[in-house]
Amino acid sequence: MSTATAPQSSDTVTNTTAEIRIYNTLTKTKEPFEPIAPPKVGIYLCGPTVYAESHIGHMVGPVIFDTIKRYLSYSGYDVTWVVNITDVDDKLINKSKERGIPMSQIAVEMTADYLANLKELGVNQIDYLPRATDHMSHIIRFIQDLEKKGFAYAVDGDVFFDVNKDPNYGQLSNRSLDDQQGEGGGAAAKKRSPGDFALWKSAKEGDVSWDSPWGKGRPGWHIECSAMSHEILGNTFDIHGGGLDLMFPHHENELAQSSCCHDAPMVKYWMHNGLMRAGEKGKVGGKSDREESAEEAESGKISRSKGAGGLADLIRQQTGERIRFFLLRSHYRSTIVYGEDALAEAGTSLEGFYRFFDRFAEITGGSFYDLPTNRHRDEGDFDPGKDELLIDIKAIREKFLAAMDDDFNTGSAIGVLFDALRSLNRHIDQNKLATGADVQSPAVVSFVQAATVLRDLAAVLGIFVKPTVRAGGDGGDADLLDGVVHLLINLRKEARERKDYATGDAIRDRLTELGVALLDKKEGTSWERSS
């Protein structure tokens, strides 16, 4: 990840034959994905305002767009993904005063927390993480250009965008000028129209500020993203992402100021992910001190004091992979209902895959995680011949690709992975594959090839990339505990195969006393902590 200049072109990427379709919020239709300058693709995602620790709601967009970049890259595109960091804002200024430390120190601390959480959830595809404070000259120049073209006006050190000068204003959120409502307070008296919004805010006494042609001050929220996206991705780029609650006013205002400044569309495809609710209602996140949109009001979002706390503890309890899997189980445009039961259900679903990985190791003597993955989708195609398992897996792979081609439907794609899991487990049972199997036998060779397809597809979603901590432990002792329990499970299995049921029962009973419950299923034995 970088905050440097725009990326250089590359000639190493193959052309794609994928027929990807994207739901464009601007047109309210699902459209064929046709990049502006293929195979190049530019993506901008609105990142966090770093005034407090990240919560799980902050991870929704990054996990979704990390997966989207993975899939576009897998489909042959050369993707540049930008996620901004808002490190100057009213909330940061207020937090600075509250804690009695510089705003920059808070921003650095909370950015580090955000990045650490992204890492735990496997979000590692971001190319640029620009900070607003590093782009102040670009922001000021952008505002000057708008002023010269007649779209902005200055009043007593403040600069506003004149929404009446943009005939297309409201096109993204389908709002008329009569529906608009801008900032209130002292700024309202300076504006020509209630819907006008701030590009530059004059400094209040004691606030952090920058010199500008209009006096000391700081940028408005919306202009920061327009300036940073333009600096890295250009006048018009392919995809702008963000939560549904950002459609108005943030994205609407970005679109207006950018298109007016450059006399060109800002973005070709606008993508908005659904919100996360705590229970049946309540968006996970803190209340904004900016103007609240209708989408936000309808979501009934909750404040941090009502449950949207830091994420690090949740990751330690649940693992990053479980949280990522939970976030991808539904289509990105759907509402995600967050709760302990829903997260536990996701974890239970994952255990089926983890048990299969154990079976794979027992049969092949190798690790599922060491199976190769493909850089591009065309490299993963294969001729199944007359092998029943491979015929099934090939059809499953095509179904997975079709789901992802259809507006990145990760929910359906994960369902397809479960189809692959069932086919692989059925093959094991039908061929009675077990420890010591002949790895050169046709049954094992096709089994490994089919498992490689599962590994390849899962990697596109950013799951099963590396071994993860399993249920039953935390920290550095988890792997050791899991290994010891599986050793006892294998000893119990051998005892039962010798018809030494007394020893097998003794192992089970003793583990139960220690708080470990064995789960005997037809595909094998797993374990979990008993309550």
Side-chain angles (χ1 to χ4, degrees):
M1 292 180 281
S2 171
T3 57
T5 56
Q8 301 300 308
S9 63
S10 170
D11 298 324
T12 61
V13 178
T14 60
N15 291 327
T16 179
T17 57
E19 296 181 357
I20 297 173
R21 297 170 300 282
I22 296 179
Y23 182 84
N24 189 348
T25 311
L26 182 63
T27 62
K28 306 296 185 291
T29 58
K30 198 178 292 185
E31 303 174 2
F33 181 55
E34 298 173 349
I36 298 165
K40 299 289 185 182
V41 174
I43 301 177
Y44 186 91
L45 175 69
C46 286
T49 301
V50 285
Y51 72 102
E53 290 182 327
S54 303
H55 56 71
I56 190 171
H58 288 135
M59 298 294 107
V60 177
V63 166
I64 288 168
F65 281 88
D66 180 86
T67 306
I68 287 173
K69 178 180 175 180
R70 287 171 185 268
Y71 191 68
L72 289 176
S73 298
Y74 187 69
S75 298
Y77 293 107
D78 182 9
V79 184
T80 299
W81 178 27
V82 181
V83 179
N84 75 291
I85 300 293
T86 299
D87 59 348
V88 53
D89 180 88
D90 285 341
K91 288 181 287 197
L92 271 157
I93 292 172
N94 293 337
K95 185 67 69 171
S96 171
K97 294 176 180 178
E98 176 187 317
R99 294 180 57 185
I101 60 176
M103 183 186 73
S104 59
Q105 183 177 336
I106 295 172
V108 168
E109 290 177 4
M110 295 304 104
T111 299
D113 171 76
Y114 178 71
L115 297 180
N117 291 324
L118 291 184
K119 180 179 179 182
E120 290 296 324
L121 269 66
V123 177
N124 58 14
Q125 300 294 304
I126 302 172
D127 298 293
Y128 293 90
L129 277 162
R131 298 178 300 175
T133 55
D134 289 336
H135 287 260
M136 206 57 62
S137 62
H138 305 140
I139 292 170
I140 291 172
R141 186 166 62 248
F142 201 119
I143 298 172
Q144 287 179 302
D145 289 343
L146 284 171
E147 191 176 25
K148 289 176 183 176
K149 293 182 178 182
F151 293 105
Y153 58 94
V155 182
D156 298 331
D158 291 327
V159 184
F160 300 95
F161 182 89
D162 190 340
V163 295
N164 287 287
K165 294 293 182 65
D166 179 9
N168 297 315
Y169 189 77
Q171 61 183 310
L172 183 62
S173 58
N174 286 334
R175 293 166 181 260
S176 67
L177 287 178
D178 293 336
D179 296 329
Q180 313 306 335
Q181 183 177 357
E183 299 102 329
K190 300 180 179 181
K191 295 191 292 186
R192 296 174 180 172
S193 172
D196 294 352
F197 56 89
L199 300 172
W200 188 262
K201 299 182 178 182
S202 57
K204 299 176 183 177
E205 186 175 354
D207 284 357
V208 63
S209 63
W210 286 260
D211 291 326
S212 81
W214 315 282
K216 287 187 174 294
R218 63 179 179 84
W221 176 31
H222 317 300
I223 195 66
E224 295 173 358
C225 284
S226 283
M228 289 185 283
S229 64
H230 176 261
E231 183 68 18
I232 299 173
L233 298 176
N235 287 357
T236 305
F237 54 94
D238 298 288
I239 297 173
H240 194 313
L244 181 64
D245 54 337
L246 296 180
M247 186 192 304
F248 182 86
H250 186 46
H251 290 165
E252 189 72 72
N253 291 349
E254 276 189 72
L255 172 58
Q257 61 201 7
S258 292
S259 58
C260 289
C261 185
H262 305 121
D263 195 25
M266 178 188 184
V267 177
K268 187 168 184 180
Y269 304 95
W270 288 87
M271 297 179 65
H272 289 92
N273 57 269
L275 306 180
M276 175 174 284
R277 300 178 188 271
E280 293 305 314
K281 61 181 179 179
K283 172 180 174 285
V284 175
K287 177 173 173 52
S288 173
D289 56 4
R290 310 182 181 104
E291 57 267 69
E292 185 176 51
S293 70
E295 286 81 8
E296 286 181 307
E298 291 168 3
S299 75
K301 66 178 185 178
I302 62 174
S303 66
R304 289 177 180 272
S305 62
K306 294 181 181 179
L311 182 59
D313 286 342
L314 183 64
I315 291 174
R316 281 191 288 269
Q317 295 165 12
Q318 300 290 347
T319 77
E321 181 161 87
R322 180 180 292 192
I323 296 171
R324 183 183 182 107
F325 181 79
F326 167 73
L327 296 177
L328 293 176
R329 287 196 312 167
S330 55
H331 191 281
Y332 75 86
R333 287 191 283 117
S334 302
T335 298
I336 300 174
V337 179
Y338 171 74
E340 291 184 5
D341 291 344
L343 196 52
E345 180 186 347
T348 300
S349 299
L350 277 177
E351 285 299 321
F353 287 99
Y354 296 149
R355 288 193 294 270
F356 168 76
F357 301 157
D358 291 337
R359 300 185 84 186
F360 179 89
E362 292 171 359
I363 293 166
T364 67
S367 171
F368 173 84
Y369 297 98
D370 290 336
L371 292 174
T373 58
N374 296 305
R375 184 179 179 187
H376 299 303
R377 62 193 287 170
D378 54 353
E379 297 171 358
D381 198 11
F382 63 96
D383 181 1
K386 297 181 179 180
D387 188 292
E388 291 185 8
L389 173 62
L390 296 182
I391 291 172
D392 195 21
I393 291 296
K394 181 178 175 65
I396 286 171
R397 180 179 184 273
E398 291 172 352
K399 189 176 178 182
F400 177 96
L401 297 176
M404 291 298 290
D405 284 345
D406 187 13
D407 197 26
F408 311 107
N409 193 339
T410 58
S412 292
I414 283 178
V416 174
L417 295 188
F418 279 100
D419 293 340
L421 179 64
R422 284 187 285 270
S423 292
L424 286 159
N425 279 325
R426 184 167 57 248
H427 180 81
I428 293 173
D429 296 337
Q430 289 176 345
N431 291 275
K432 296 182 172 55
L433 301 181
T435 303
D438 179 4
V439 295
Q440 301 299 323
S441 67
V444 174
V445 170
S446 61
F447 170 69
V448 172
Q449 184 177 351
T452 301
V453 174
L454 172 61
R455 160 89 165 134
D456 188 47
L457 299 181
V460 173
L461 300 180
I463 56 176
F464 312 144
V465 174
K466 61 182 180 179
T468 187
V469 175
R470 300 274 291 277
D474 56 10
D477 295 332
D479 290 337
L480 175 61
L481 177 59
D482 186 63
V484 170
V485 174
H486 273 90
L487 174 62
L488 292 171
I489 287 173
N490 288 334
L491 291 174
R492 174 174 173 263
K493 178 182 177 183
E494 292 173 5
R496 289 165 63 88
E497 289 173 349
R498 296 194 308 268
K499 300 187 185 299
D500 183 2
Y501 298 113
T503 298
D505 291 343
I507 292 173
R508 183 187 189 103
D509 293 344
R510 184 58 181 141
L511 285 173
T512 300
E513 292 172 6
L514 294 173
V516 175
L518 299 185
L519 307 175
D520 289 319
K521 297 183 179 180
K522 65 179 183 178
E523 63 266 24
T525 301
S526 61
W527 70 279
E528 65 182 15
R529 285 194 184 275
S530 56
S531 56

